[in-house]
Amino acid sequence: MPKPSPVFNTASDQPLALSGRWRVDIPKALWPEFEAYIWQHHRGFLLLTNIIAALAFFSYVLADALLIPDMAQASLLLRSVLLLVAMLDIWLVFGRRRRNILLLDQLMPLHDLIATVAWFELLKRSHSPDVPTFLYASLIFIVFANLGVRVSFKGALASSLAISLVIIGNVALMNPHDSKPLLVFSLVYLPVLLFCLFMSWNTTSSVRLAFYASQEEARRKNELSSLNRRLQMLASTDALTQVGNRRAFDLQLEQLWLQMSQHGRPFALLLVDIDFFKPYNDHYGHLAGDHVLAEVASAMVNSLRSGQARAFRYGGEEFAILLQSGRQDELRRIGQRLLQQVAALQVEHHHRPDGPPHLTISVGAALSSLPGLRDATDLLACCDRMLYRAKQQGRNQLQLATDDMVAGRD
Ligand SMILES: Nc1nc2c(ncn2[C@@H]2O[C@H](COP(=O)(O)OP(=O)(O)OP(=O)(O)O)[C@@H](O)[C@H]2O)c(=O)[nH]1
């Protein structure tokens, strides 16, 4: 039976973990699966964004050279060191074995925070008249901090607040005697911050919803394949006796014959028929007859080693057994055991015209490797003749086909 989904209410198909419109929670129990989902679907994206952001940060060395030329050398040095550190971190965090999803998600905001501090240090030391204008480039830091976030909105919020504190704090420090530049900067900065946070929230919620949808899809696939397995089982099983049905027998016989032709692996077939079943039905009733059919089938199945042979209901009160063995002595042993097992059931049958007062079977059997057999139908016909012979010669016995019998059949 497939496990019921822990997160979905199947009646409404809504994730139970959705607590209102604003939050999509991942319960603790689902976190490992969520991590695996992020690793599989977003690792590549997070890795690339980190690399691109690190390179973008380095490329600002050109802007520094133009706008704060007195800091050009320091900028080249600082940005080179930070680029190397970032690449090393990326390599460490994204290494195949270390699957720390939150660190993966927050690596860029962390680098971003350090880069913000470093860049403001350059600005504060520069005497360039372009510094007040260049200040506005710091908006890029809040954009980068939220651009790659996939897992935790709380993380994005915390890092955004820290970066904002650094930016606003530094702008205030750089204009200690005039509040207007800070006011103008804040008026430009705050809408960008809010928009970036909205983007982070939207992305993290969408990723969580996509995770729940993938869970649900996997659950439905499981359910469907177990239903399919059950249907297949039903389609190949005889309802009364629970052994394989005629359709399954025909398929397996053809398959075994094909295997023998391709790989030279011989097998054997036994046809089993209950003796004097008509008088049994007539005297004990059809229901008792049904019961006996099931009993005989189960006795035969119990006498066969699983994997070595499979029993089928061939039709009416006739059964077929396909044996994965090409040895005559084994075939004889198994045929005899079937006779004994059914006789041992001691099913009372006082209305048969011959000897024993209990139910018996007759068996006709043959190896697929007998010379003269051209196909599976020949093998079946050969077993049928052996069964007929067993009936003719007094029933309750096994008749095995031998080479000379098949050769002289026509
Ligand atoms: N109860 C029951 N009887 C069945 C079923 N299928 C076939 N039969 C009966 O099996 C009997 C087969 O009888 P026959 O083929 O005449 O042969 P027999 O009486 O067994 O005699 P021999 O085979 O010659 O030993 C018939 O009476 C069928 O009605 C079934 O599903 N349930």
Side-chain angles (χ1 to χ4, degrees):
M1 280 289 285
K3 256 199 323 183
S5 163
V7 289
F8 270 76
N9 173 350
T10 40
S12 64
D13 273 357
Q14 281 298 308
L16 295 177
L18 290 182
S19 46
R21 281 185 47 166
W22 300 102
R23 280 180 61 181
V24 185
D25 290 336
I26 303 288
K28 242 194 179 128
L30 269 188
W31 193 256
E33 283 158 62
F34 183 56
E35 282 196 341
Y37 175 84
I38 294 288
W39 186 258
Q40 190 189 348
H41 292 91
H42 295 278
R43 180 182 173 274
F45 170 84
L46 288 171
L47 177 64
L48 260 182
T49 359
N50 271 281
I51 292 174
I52 292 169
L55 291 173
F57 174 73
F58 180 76
S59 74
Y60 271 70
V61 79
L62 294 173
D64 287 349
L66 273 173
L67 294 166
I68 46 172
D70 51 341
M71 287 292 121
Q73 263 189 353
S75 161
L76 180 64
L77 190 70
L78 196 63
R79 287 182 191 274
S80 303
V81 171
L82 287 179
L83 177 67
L84 281 177
V85 171
M87 289 303 183
L88 183 69
D89 285 351
I90 291 169
W91 180 72
L92 285 174
V93 173
F94 284 84
R96 293 236 157 244
R97 281 154 196 271
R98 313 165 191 93
R99 192 195 285 192
N100 185 335
I101 298 302
L102 282 177
L103 193 55
L104 224 71
D105 195 49
Q106 291 300 303
L107 189 65
M108 194 153 96
L110 276 174
H111 283 159
D112 210 50
L113 181 63
I114 296 165
T116 315
V117 173
W119 188 62
F120 270 103
E121 288 311 310
L122 289 176
L123 283 190
K124 282 190 287 188
R125 283 169 178 72
S126 173
H127 298 103
S128 164
D130 291 323
V131 167
T133 322
F134 200 21
L135 262 183
Y136 284 83
S138 60
L139 291 179
I140 198 79
F141 290 112
I142 200 65
V143 175
F144 274 160
N146 287 282
L147 208 65
V149 167
R150 283 291 180 271
V151 180
S152 163
F153 176 64
K154 273 187 211 152
L157 186 66
S159 54
S160 295
L161 291 181
I163 290 166
S164 301
L165 218 67
V166 171
I167 294 176
I168 302 285
N170 274 300
V171 174
L173 275 177
M174 289 161 81
N175 301 280
H177 309 299
D178 186 2
S179 58
K180 195 176 168 197
L182 178 63
L183 183 69
V184 174
F185 183 87
S186 301
L187 286 175
V188 174
Y189 182 80
L190 284 177
V192 177
L193 171 67
L194 289 177
F195 180 72
C196 288
L197 287 177
F198 170 74
M199 292 308 279
S200 283
W201 170 82
N202 185 52
T203 310
T204 49
S205 305
S206 305
V207 167
R208 284 165 185 230
L209 285 173
F211 163 69
Y212 280 126
S214 82
Q215 287 262 306
E216 182 57 6
E217 196 188 312
R219 190 186 69 80
R220 287 204 172 132
K221 261 191 193 154
N222 260 345
E223 214 171 80
L224 201 69
S225 66
S226 87
L227 262 176
N228 272 338
R229 276 198 302 276
R230 182 148 172 68
L231 266 179
Q232 252 172 12
M233 214 264 285
L234 284 175
S236 62
T237 305
D238 176 64
L240 177 67
T241 59
Q242 296 305 310
V243 294
N245 60 16
R246 176 66 184 268
R247 187 173 155 273
F249 169 72
D250 289 344
L251 277 174
Q252 188 154 0
L253 178 62
E254 280 304 328
Q255 207 177 332
L256 287 177
W257 191 271
L258 194 75
Q259 268 178 23
M260 185 181 73
S261 327
Q262 290 174 345
H263 310 293
R265 215 179 295 145
F267 64 97
L269 170 64
L270 301 99
L271 280 186
V272 177
D273 188 280
I274 300 178
D275 297 328
F276 296 118
F277 199 50
K278 182 169 172 3
Y280 186 90
N281 264 331
D282 293 347
H283 288 91
Y284 296 96
H286 211 79
L287 268 182
D290 280 358
H291 183 69
V292 158
L293 279 173
E295 255 193 297
V296 167
S298 131
M300 289 196 301
V301 169
N302 289 340
S303 77
L304 301 168
R305 242 188 304 133
S306 72
Q308 170 208 35
R310 192 175 164 201
F312 304 85
R313 188 168 176 203
Y314 186 63
E317 61 355 332
E318 216 172 322
F319 295 91
I321 288 160
L322 284 168
L323 180 68
Q324 303 261 15
S325 166
R327 283 175 36 208
Q328 186 90 347
D329 58 335
E330 195 168 5
L331 181 57
R332 184 183 300 283
R333 197 162 43 76
I334 284 175
Q336 295 294 357
R337 205 162 64 208
L338 290 175
L339 291 171
Q340 286 159 13
Q341 290 283 328
V342 174
L345 288 173
Q346 288 291 319
V347 176
E348 179 189 299
H349 191 353
H350 290 295
H351 302 278
R352 54 190 294 171
D354 64 344
H358 59 264
L359 204 84
T360 59
I361 53 170
S362 296
V363 183
L367 291 175
S368 63
S369 54
L370 288 180
L373 297 179
R374 288 159 304 192
D375 51 28
T377 316
D378 272 0
L379 175 62
L380 203 53
C382 175
C383 286
D384 209 33
R385 281 200 302 281
M386 293 303 108
L387 180 59
Y388 182 72
R389 181 184 286 215
K391 292 277 182 187
Q392 291 290 300
Q393 296 194 1
R395 296 177 173 81
N396 189 22
Q397 62 183 271
L398 163 74
Q399 285 290 332
L400 276 182
T402 54
D403 297 5
D404 48 322
M405 286 175 187
V406 179
R409 74 187 191 284
D410 292 322

PDB file of all heavy atoms in Angstrom, residues 159-171:
ATOM      1  N   SER A 159      19.702  38.932   6.253  1.00  0.00           N
ATOM      2  CA  SER A 159      20.882  39.461   5.549  1.00  0.00           C
ATOM      3  C   SER A 159      20.568  40.819   4.919  1.00  0.00           C
ATOM      4  O   SER A 159      21.421  41.716   4.899  1.00  0.00           O
ATOM      5  CB  SER A 159      21.404  38.468   4.530  1.00  0.00           C
ATOM      6  OG  SER A 159      20.384  38.091   3.659  1.00  0.00           O
ATOM      7  N   SER A 160      19.321  40.995   4.432  1.00  0.00           N
ATOM      8  CA  SER A 160      18.961  42.286   3.829  1.00  0.00           C
ATOM      9  C   SER A 160      19.004  43.394   4.875  1.00  0.00           C
ATOM     10  O   SER A 160      19.455  44.519   4.593  1.00  0.00           O
ATOM     11  CB  SER A 160      17.556  42.226   3.229  1.00  0.00           C
ATOM     12  OG  SER A 160      17.550  41.320   2.180  1.00  0.00           O
ATOM     13  N   LEU A 161      18.526  43.069   6.090  1.00  0.00           N
ATOM     14  CA  LEU A 161      18.552  44.092   7.141  1.00  0.00           C
ATOM     15  C   LEU A 161      19.986  44.454   7.518  1.00  0.00           C
ATOM     16  O   LEU A 161      20.331  45.625   7.696  1.00  0.00           O
ATOM     17  CB  LEU A 161      17.767  43.617   8.365  1.00  0.00           C
ATOM     18  CG  LEU A 161      16.244  43.516   8.136  1.00  0.00           C
ATOM     19  CD1 LEU A 161      15.511  43.061   9.393  1.00  0.00           C
ATOM     20  CD2 LEU A 161      15.662  44.854   7.648  1.00  0.00           C
ATOM     21  N   ALA A 162      20.849  43.406   7.589  1.00  0.00           N
ATOM     22  CA  ALA A 162      22.253  43.662   7.941  1.00  0.00           C
ATOM     23  C   ALA A 162      22.913  44.531   6.865  1.00  0.00           C
ATOM     24  O   ALA A 162      23.620  45.513   7.172  1.00  0.00           O
ATOM     25  CB  ALA A 162      22.992  42.335   8.096  1.00  0.00           C
ATOM     26  N   ILE A 163      22.673  44.189   5.593  1.00  0.00           N
ATOM     27  CA  ILE A 163      23.288  44.956   4.494  1.00  0.00           C
ATOM     28  C   ILE A 163      22.750  46.390   4.499  1.00  0.00           C
ATOM     29  O   ILE A 163      23.504  47.370   4.337  1.00  0.00           O
ATOM     30  CB  ILE A 163      23.022  44.256   3.136  1.00  0.00           C
ATOM     31  CG1 ILE A 163      23.844  42.959   3.070  1.00  0.00           C
ATOM     32  CG2 ILE A 163      23.384  45.150   1.957  1.00  0.00           C
ATOM     33  CD1 ILE A 163      23.434  42.017   1.964  1.00  0.00           C
ATOM     34  N   SER A 164      21.428  46.535   4.746  1.00  0.00           N
ATOM     35  CA  SER A 164      20.828  47.878   4.772  1.00  0.00           C
ATOM     36  C   SER A 164      21.437  48.712   5.884  1.00  0.00           C
ATOM     37  O   SER A 164      21.680  49.913   5.729  1.00  0.00           O
ATOM     38  CB  SER A 164      19.316  47.769   4.976  1.00  0.00           C
ATOM     39  OG  SER A 164      18.764  47.019   3.935  1.00  0.00           O
ATOM     40  N   LEU A 165      21.666  48.046   7.019  1.00  0.00           N
ATOM     41  CA  LEU A 165      22.276  48.753   8.153  1.00  0.00           C
ATOM     42  C   LEU A 165      23.658  49.283   7.774  1.00  0.00           C
ATOM     43  O   LEU A 165      24.004  50.436   8.065  1.00  0.00           O
ATOM     44  CB  LEU A 165      22.401  47.774   9.324  1.00  0.00           C
ATOM     45  CG  LEU A 165      22.125  48.354  10.714  1.00  0.00           C
ATOM     46  CD1 LEU A 165      20.646  48.726  10.816  1.00  0.00           C
ATOM     47  CD2 LEU A 165      22.489  47.324  11.782  1.00  0.00           C
ATOM     48  N   VAL A 166      24.441  48.430   7.109  1.00  0.00           N
ATOM     49  CA  VAL A 166      25.779  48.835   6.679  1.00  0.00           C
ATOM     50  C   VAL A 166      25.668  50.004   5.688  1.00  0.00           C
ATOM     51  O   VAL A 166      26.389  51.007   5.819  1.00  0.00           O
ATOM     52  CB  VAL A 166      26.530  47.640   6.023  1.00  0.00           C
ATOM     53  CG1 VAL A 166      27.837  48.106   5.384  1.00  0.00           C
ATOM     54  CG2 VAL A 166      26.813  46.566   7.069  1.00  0.00           C
ATOM     55  N   ILE A 167      24.750  49.899   4.715  1.00  0.00           N
ATOM     56  CA  ILE A 167      24.648  50.938   3.686  1.00  0.00           C
ATOM     57  C   ILE A 167      24.180  52.258   4.288  1.00  0.00           C
ATOM     58  O   ILE A 167      24.845  53.304   4.172  1.00  0.00           O
ATOM     59  CB  ILE A 167      23.686  50.483   2.549  1.00  0.00           C
ATOM     60  CG1 ILE A 167      24.290  49.289   1.790  1.00  0.00           C
ATOM     61  CG2 ILE A 167      23.392  51.631   1.590  1.00  0.00           C
ATOM     62  CD1 ILE A 167      23.393  48.691   0.718  1.00  0.00           C
ATOM     63  N   ILE A 168      23.036  52.190   4.977  1.00  0.00           N
ATOM     64  CA  ILE A 168      22.465  53.432   5.535  1.00  0.00           C
ATOM     65  C   ILE A 168      23.424  54.029   6.566  1.00  0.00           C
ATOM     66  O   ILE A 168      23.665  55.245   6.601  1.00  0.00           O
ATOM     67  CB  ILE A 168      21.083  53.175   6.172  1.00  0.00           C
ATOM     68  CG1 ILE A 168      20.112  52.587   5.129  1.00  0.00           C
ATOM     69  CG2 ILE A 168      20.505  54.414   6.840  1.00  0.00           C
ATOM     70  CD1 ILE A 168      19.579  53.579   4.127  1.00  0.00           C
ATOM     71  N   GLY A 169      24.018  53.145   7.390  1.00  0.00           N
ATOM     72  CA  GLY A 169      24.950  53.612   8.417  1.00  0.00           C
ATOM     73  C   GLY A 169      26.121  54.348   7.783  1.00  0.00           C
ATOM     74  O   GLY A 169      26.530  55.431   8.241  1.00  0.00           O
ATOM     75  N   ASN A 170      26.674  53.763   6.713  1.00  0.00           N
ATOM     76  CA  ASN A 170      27.828  54.391   6.057  1.00  0.00           C
ATOM     77  C   ASN A 170      27.454  55.698   5.368  1.00  0.00           C
ATOM     78  O   ASN A 170      28.217  56.661   5.394  1.00  0.00           O
ATOM     79  CB  ASN A 170      28.453  53.427   5.053  1.00  0.00           C
ATOM     80  CG  ASN A 170      29.468  52.512   5.736  1.00  0.00           C
ATOM     81  OD1 ASN A 170      30.454  52.980   6.310  1.00  0.00           O
ATOM     82  ND2 ASN A 170      29.197  51.219   5.729  1.00  0.00           N
ATOM     83  N   VAL A 171      26.265  55.717   4.737  1.00  0.00           N
ATOM     84  CA  VAL A 171      25.836  56.971   4.100  1.00  0.00           C
ATOM     85  C   VAL A 171      25.704  58.058   5.174  1.00  0.00           C
ATOM     86  O   VAL A 171      26.125  59.210   4.979  1.00  0.00           O
ATOM     87  CB  VAL A 171      24.501  56.772   3.326  1.00  0.00           C
ATOM     88  CG1 VAL A 171      23.975  58.093   2.789  1.00  0.00           C
ATOM     89  CG2 VAL A 171      24.701  55.787   2.184  1.00  0.00           C
TER      90      VAL A 171
END
